[in-house]
Amino acid sequence: MREFVLAIMLITFLTGISFAAGGGDITYKVKYIGDVTFSHDSHVTGRGFTCDDCHPVIFPLPRDKEKKRTMAEMRAKKACGTCHNGKNAFDVGSNCYICHKK
Ligand code: HEC
Ligand code: HEC
Ligand code: HEC
């Protein structure tokens, strides 16, 4: 019994660590207009989203770093545009420089 309780505590502890870290900061290189950094911290800790709000439906894991998404896809409510649609969060059709930083 004691071993069982300790094992559960260990699992909670370990998964707790990986959840707190989430996927960290993800930087997308974008020419001319500037790079975009997605912050797990600000979405998960700051706004209370849970992992399954985004994974795996909107953003499949493991991440495919070669996969590039376009603003046209995002304006069609995919990827960041699922939420950044002017209703749930600021719209991808404007507000360029909230996301893109030189
Ligand atoms: C608001 C949306 C959102 C939420 C909520 C979210 N993620 Fe992510 N996550 C992303 C995005 C965007 C990426 C990058 C995916 C891509 O570009 O294909 C990502 C990538 C990741 C990666 C891959 C990192 C890498 O560099 O390869 C891991 C691991 C991950 N997330 C874990 C988590 C965990 C754990 C949680 C819950 C604590 C979580 N995410 C919550 C949006 C989110
Ligand atoms: C599950 C919904 C959801 C998804 C998916 C999502 N966001 Fe957000 N994001 C939000 C909400 C809600 C806010 C708060 C926005 C507001 O107040 O208008 C926010 C805020 C932000 C901010 C403001 C600064 C900050 O960090 O708090 C940036 C930048 C941002 N998101 C970038 C992104 C990028 C880039 C992606 C795609 C890789 C993305 N988001 C995907 C919901 C989401
Ligand atoms: C919610 C955050 C967000 C907002 C707002 C946003 N973008 Fe983006 N944009 C991104 C992300 C993330 C990528 C990189 C996607 C990738 O590489 O997979 C990107 C990629 C791009 C690209 C390269 C891909 C393509 O479609 O040609 C251009 C150009 C671009 N953005 C222009 C803009 C302009 C112009 C605006 C304002 C009208 C804007 N973006 C608003 C997040 C955003």
Side-chain angles (χ1 to χ4, degrees), residues 64-81:
D64 177 1
K65 288 188 184 170
E66 304 303 310
K67 186 178 162 77
K68 297 273 179 215
R69 298 178 181 91
T70 62
M71 291 313 302
E73 289 174 79
M74 290 188 243
R75 282 193 301 274
K77 318 236 180 302
K78 299 216 172 79
C80 314

Side-chain angles (χ1 to χ4, degrees), residues 4-90:
F4 177 73
V5 171
L6 284 175
I8 296 293
M9 280 172 70
L10 184 65
I11 289 164
T12 314
F13 177 71
L14 290 176
T15 51
I17 294 281
S18 62
F19 274 27
D25 281 1
I26 310 272
T27 299
Y28 299 91
K29 296 262 169 224
V30 187
K31 280 187 186 145
Y32 313 117
I33 185 165
D35 297 348
V36 177
T37 298
F38 169 83
S39 162
H40 273 90
D41 232 31
S42 91
H43 287 79
V44 176
T45 316
R47 322 230 177 237
F49 287 110
T50 57
C51 312
D52 61 3
D53 286 330
C54 293
H55 302 298
V57 175
I58 307 176
F59 297 104
L61 290 178
R63 179 185 176 204
D64 177 1
K65 288 188 184 170
E66 304 303 310
K67 186 178 162 77
K68 297 273 179 215
R69 298 178 181 91
T70 62
M71 291 313 302
E73 289 174 79
M74 290 188 243
R75 282 193 301 274
K77 318 236 180 302
K78 299 216 172 79
C80 314
T82 314
C83 302
H84 287 275
N85 56 10
K87 286 191 199 126
N88 304 330
F90 60 85

Side-chain angles (χ1 to χ4, degrees), residues 88-100:
N88 304 330
F90 60 85
D91 193 0
V92 285
S94 52
N95 306 297
C96 318
Y97 298 104
I98 301 178
C99 290
H100 291 276

